[in-house]
mmCIF file with all atom_site columns, all heavy atoms in Angstrom:
data_model
loop_
_atom_site.group_PDB
_atom_site.id
_atom_site.type_symbol
_atom_site.label_atom_id
_atom_site.label_alt_id
_atom_site.label_comp_id
_atom_site.label_asym_id
_atom_site.label_entity_id
_atom_site.label_seq_id
_atom_site.pdbx_PDB_ins_code
_atom_site.Cartn_x
_atom_site.Cartn_y
_atom_site.Cartn_z
_atom_site.occupancy
_atom_site.B_iso_or_equiv
_atom_site.pdbx_formal_charge
_atom_site.auth_seq_id
_atom_site.auth_comp_id
_atom_site.auth_asym_id
_atom_site.auth_atom_id
_atom_site.pdbx_PDB_model_num
ATOM 1  N N   . LYS A 1 174 ? 44.373 19.556 111.132 1.00 0.00 ? 186 LYS A N   1
ATOM 2  C CA  . LYS A 1 174 ? 43.461 18.417 111.213 1.00 0.00 ? 186 LYS A CA  1
ATOM 3  C C   . LYS A 1 174 ? 42.791 18.176 109.843 1.00 0.00 ? 186 LYS A C   1
ATOM 4  O O   . LYS A 1 174 ? 42.718 17.050 109.354 1.00 0.00 ? 186 LYS A O   1
ATOM 5  C CB  . LYS A 1 174 ? 42.396 18.720 112.279 1.00 0.00 ? 186 LYS A CB  1
ATOM 6  C CG  . LYS A 1 174 ? 41.390 17.632 112.489 1.00 0.00 ? 186 LYS A CG  1
ATOM 7  C CD  . LYS A 1 174 ? 41.826 16.688 113.582 1.00 0.00 ? 186 LYS A CD  1
ATOM 8  C CE  . LYS A 1 174 ? 40.922 15.469 113.592 1.00 0.00 ? 186 LYS A CE  1
ATOM 9  N NZ  . LYS A 1 174 ? 41.370 14.405 114.453 1.00 0.00 ? 186 LYS A NZ  1
ATOM 10 N N   . CYS A 1 175 ? 42.311 19.265 109.228 1.00 0.00 ? 187 CYS A N   1
ATOM 11 C CA  . CYS A 1 175 ? 41.627 19.154 107.937 1.00 0.00 ? 187 CYS A CA  1
ATOM 12 C C   . CYS A 1 175 ? 42.579 18.669 106.851 1.00 0.00 ? 187 CYS A C   1
ATOM 13 O O   . CYS A 1 175 ? 42.223 17.795 106.050 1.00 0.00 ? 187 CYS A O   1
ATOM 14 C CB  . CYS A 1 175 ? 41.041 20.505 107.515 1.00 0.00 ? 187 CYS A CB  1
ATOM 15 S SG  . CYS A 1 175 ? 39.741 21.081 108.590 1.00 0.00 ? 187 CYS A SG  1
ATOM 16 N N   . SER A 1 176 ? 43.789 19.208 106.847 1.00 0.00 ? 188 SER A N   1
ATOM 17 C CA  . SER A 1 176 ? 44.766 18.786 105.839 1.00 0.00 ? 188 SER A CA  1
ATOM 18 C C   . SER A 1 176 ? 45.075 17.303 106.007 1.00 0.00 ? 188 SER A C   1
ATOM 19 O O   . SER A 1 176 ? 45.192 16.564 105.024 1.00 0.00 ? 188 SER A O   1
ATOM 20 C CB  . SER A 1 176 ? 46.067 19.579 105.976 1.00 0.00 ? 188 SER A CB  1
ATOM 21 O OG  . SER A 1 176 ? 45.791 20.949 105.997 1.00 0.00 ? 188 SER A OG  1
ATOM 22 N N   . GLY A 1 177 ? 45.214 16.878 107.261 1.00 0.00 ? 189 GLY A N   1
ATOM 23 C CA  . GLY A 1 177 ? 45.472 15.462 107.539 1.00 0.00 ? 189 GLY A CA  1
ATOM 24 C C   . GLY A 1 177 ? 44.353 14.589 106.998 1.00 0.00 ? 189 GLY A C   1
ATOM 25 O O   . GLY A 1 177 ? 44.596 13.571 106.330 1.00 0.00 ? 189 GLY A O   1
ATOM 26 N N   . TRP A 1 178 ? 43.134 14.955 107.284 1.00 0.00 ? 190 TRP A N   1
ATOM 27 C CA  . TRP A 1 178 ? 41.980 14.200 106.770 1.00 0.00 ? 190 TRP A CA  1
ATOM 28 C C   . TRP A 1 178 ? 41.998 14.144 105.238 1.00 0.00 ? 190 TRP A C   1
ATOM 29 O O   . TRP A 1 178 ? 41.770 13.101 104.649 1.00 0.00 ? 190 TRP A O   1
ATOM 30 C CB  . TRP A 1 178 ? 40.681 14.864 107.225 1.00 0.00 ? 190 TRP A CB  1
ATOM 31 C CG  . TRP A 1 178 ? 40.235 14.485 108.597 1.00 0.00 ? 190 TRP A CG  1
ATOM 32 C CD1 . TRP A 1 178 ? 40.846 13.607 109.461 1.00 0.00 ? 190 TRP A CD1 1
ATOM 33 C CD2 . TRP A 1 178 ? 39.051 14.951 109.263 1.00 0.00 ? 190 TRP A CD2 1
ATOM 34 N NE1 . TRP A 1 178 ? 40.122 13.520 110.624 1.00 0.00 ? 190 TRP A NE1 1
ATOM 35 C CE2 . TRP A 1 178 ? 39.018 14.326 110.536 1.00 0.00 ? 190 TRP A CE2 1
ATOM 36 C CE3 . TRP A 1 178 ? 38.036 15.836 108.924 1.00 0.00 ? 190 TRP A CE3 1
ATOM 37 C CZ2 . TRP A 1 178 ? 37.989 14.560 111.452 1.00 0.00 ? 190 TRP A CZ2 1
ATOM 38 C CZ3 . TRP A 1 178 ? 37.020 16.070 109.836 1.00 0.00 ? 190 TRP A CZ3 1
ATOM 39 C CH2 . TRP A 1 178 ? 36.991 15.450 111.091 1.00 0.00 ? 190 TRP A CH2 1
ATOM 40 N N   . ALA A 1 179 ? 42.280 15.298 104.618 1.00 0.00 ? 191 ALA A N   1
ATOM 41 C CA  . ALA A 1 179 ? 42.273 15.338 103.145 1.00 0.00 ? 191 ALA A CA  1
ATOM 42 C C   . ALA A 1 179 ? 43.333 14.389 102.589 1.00 0.00 ? 191 ALA A C   1
ATOM 43 O O   . ALA A 1 179 ? 43.082 13.650 101.635 1.00 0.00 ? 191 ALA A O   1
ATOM 44 C CB  . ALA A 1 179 ? 42.515 16.763 102.654 1.00 0.00 ? 191 ALA A CB  1
ATOM 45 N N   . ARG A 1 180 ? 44.513 14.373 103.231 1.00 0.00 ? 192 ARG A N   1
ATOM 46 C CA  . ARG A 1 180 ? 45.596 13.511 102.742 1.00 0.00 ? 192 ARG A CA  1
ATOM 47 C C   . ARG A 1 180 ? 45.286 12.038 102.949 1.00 0.00 ? 192 ARG A C   1
ATOM 48 O O   . ARG A 1 180 ? 45.673 11.199 102.143 1.00 0.00 ? 192 ARG A O   1
ATOM 49 C CB  . ARG A 1 180 ? 46.912 13.853 103.464 1.00 0.00 ? 192 ARG A CB  1
ATOM 50 C CG  . ARG A 1 180 ? 47.526 15.148 102.992 1.00 0.00 ? 192 ARG A CG  1
ATOM 51 C CD  . ARG A 1 180 ? 48.993 15.238 103.410 1.00 0.00 ? 192 ARG A CD  1
ATOM 52 N NE  . ARG A 1 180 ? 49.400 16.629 103.447 1.00 0.00 ? 192 ARG A NE  1
ATOM 53 C CZ  . ARG A 1 180 ? 49.333 17.399 104.528 1.00 0.00 ? 192 ARG A CZ  1
ATOM 54 N NH1 . ARG A 1 180 ? 48.917 16.902 105.684 1.00 0.00 ? 192 ARG A NH1 1
ATOM 55 N NH2 . ARG A 1 180 ? 49.698 18.655 104.471 1.00 0.00 ? 192 ARG A NH2 1
ATOM 56 N N   . GLU A 1 181 ? 44.596 11.714 104.057 1.00 0.00 ? 193 GLU A N   1
ATOM 57 C CA  . GLU A 1 181 ? 44.285 10.307 104.346 1.00 0.00 ? 193 GLU A CA  1
ATOM 58 C C   . GLU A 1 181 ? 43.146 9.782  103.499 1.00 0.00 ? 193 GLU A C   1
ATOM 59 O O   . GLU A 1 181 ? 42.941 8.573  103.394 1.00 0.00 ? 193 GLU A O   1
ATOM 60 C CB  . GLU A 1 181 ? 43.845 10.154 105.812 1.00 0.00 ? 193 GLU A CB  1
ATOM 61 C CG  . GLU A 1 181 ? 44.952 10.234 106.822 1.00 0.00 ? 193 GLU A CG  1
ATOM 62 C CD  . GLU A 1 181 ? 44.380 10.459 108.235 1.00 0.00 ? 193 GLU A CD  1
ATOM 63 O OE1 . GLU A 1 181 ? 43.234 10.076 108.511 1.00 0.00 ? 193 GLU A OE1 1
ATOM 64 O OE2 . GLU A 1 181 ? 45.109 11.062 109.037 1.00 0.00 ? 193 GLU A OE2 1
ATOM 65 N N   . SER A 1 182 ? 42.368 10.678 102.910 1.00 0.00 ? 194 SER A N   1
ATOM 66 C CA  . SER A 1 182 ? 41.124 10.230 102.274 1.00 0.00 ? 194 SER A CA  1
ATOM 67 C C   . SER A 1 182 ? 41.388 9.406  101.022 1.00 0.00 ? 194 SER A C   1
ATOM 68 O O   . SER A 1 182 ? 42.339 9.641  100.288 1.00 0.00 ? 194 SER A O   1
ATOM 69 C CB  . SER A 1 182 ? 40.250 11.439 101.921 1.00 0.00 ? 194 SER A CB  1
ATOM 70 O OG  . SER A 1 182 ? 40.839 12.191 100.882 1.00 0.00 ? 194 SER A OG  1
ATOM 71 N N   . GLU A 1 183 ? 40.515 8.425  100.825 1.00 0.00 ? 195 GLU A N   1
ATOM 72 C CA  . GLU A 1 183 ? 40.503 7.679  99.560  1.00 0.00 ? 195 GLU A CA  1
ATOM 73 C C   . GLU A 1 183 ? 39.433 8.254  98.645  1.00 0.00 ? 195 GLU A C   1
ATOM 74 O O   . GLU A 1 183 ? 39.500 8.137  97.430  1.00 0.00 ? 195 GLU A O   1
ATOM 75 C CB  . GLU A 1 183 ? 40.219 6.198  99.816  1.00 0.00 ? 195 GLU A CB  1
ATOM 76 C CG  . GLU A 1 183 ? 41.349 5.494  100.534 1.00 0.00 ? 195 GLU A CG  1
ATOM 77 C CD  . GLU A 1 183 ? 40.993 4.064  100.915 1.00 0.00 ? 195 GLU A CD  1
ATOM 78 O OE1 . GLU A 1 183 ? 40.052 3.483  100.310 1.00 0.00 ? 195 GLU A OE1 1
ATOM 79 O OE2 . GLU A 1 183 ? 41.642 3.522  101.825 1.00 0.00 ? 195 GLU A OE2 1
ATOM 80 N N   . LEU A 1 184 ? 38.423 8.805  99.279  1.00 0.00 ? 196 LEU A N   1
ATOM 81 C CA  . LEU A 1 184 ? 37.342 9.463  98.523  1.00 0.00 ? 196 LEU A CA  1
ATOM 82 C C   . LEU A 1 184 ? 37.076 10.814 99.178  1.00 0.00 ? 196 LEU A C   1
ATOM 83 O O   . LEU A 1 184 ? 36.855 10.887 100.395 1.00 0.00 ? 196 LEU A O   1
ATOM 84 C CB  . LEU A 1 184 ? 36.078 8.584  98.562  1.00 0.00 ? 196 LEU A CB  1
ATOM 85 C CG  . LEU A 1 184 ? 34.796 9.134  97.940  1.00 0.00 ? 196 LEU A CG  1
ATOM 86 C CD1 . LEU A 1 184 ? 34.992 9.474  96.469  1.00 0.00 ? 196 LEU A CD1 1
ATOM 87 C CD2 . LEU A 1 184 ? 33.667 8.112  98.076  1.00 0.00 ? 196 LEU A CD2 1
ATOM 88 N N   . PHE A 1 185 ? 37.151 11.855 98.389  1.00 0.00 ? 197 PHE A N   1
ATOM 89 C CA  . PHE A 1 185 ? 36.934 13.214 98.892  1.00 0.00 ? 197 PHE A CA  1
ATOM 90 C C   . PHE A 1 185 ? 35.697 13.766 98.203  1.00 0.00 ? 197 PHE A C   1
ATOM 91 O O   . PHE A 1 185 ? 35.653 13.895 96.980  1.00 0.00 ? 197 PHE A O   1
ATOM 92 C CB  . PHE A 1 185 ? 38.168 14.083 98.602  1.00 0.00 ? 197 PHE A CB  1
ATOM 93 C CG  . PHE A 1 185 ? 38.218 15.344 99.413  1.00 0.00 ? 197 PHE A CG  1
ATOM 94 C CD1 . PHE A 1 185 ? 38.690 15.340 100.716 1.00 0.00 ? 197 PHE A CD1 1
ATOM 95 C CD2 . PHE A 1 185 ? 37.797 16.549 98.863  1.00 0.00 ? 197 PHE A CD2 1
ATOM 96 C CE1 . PHE A 1 185 ? 38.738 16.518 101.477 1.00 0.00 ? 197 PHE A CE1 1
ATOM 97 C CE2 . PHE A 1 185 ? 37.842 17.725 99.621  1.00 0.00 ? 197 PHE A CE2 1
ATOM 98 C CZ  . PHE A 1 185 ? 38.313 17.698 100.922 1.00 0.00 ? 197 PHE A CZ  1
#
Side-chain angles (χ1 to χ4, degrees):
K186 181 92 190 171
C187 295
S188 308
W190 277 359
R192 286 197 203 91
E193 285 164 26
S194 69
E195 291 174 20
L196 175 58
F197 197 82

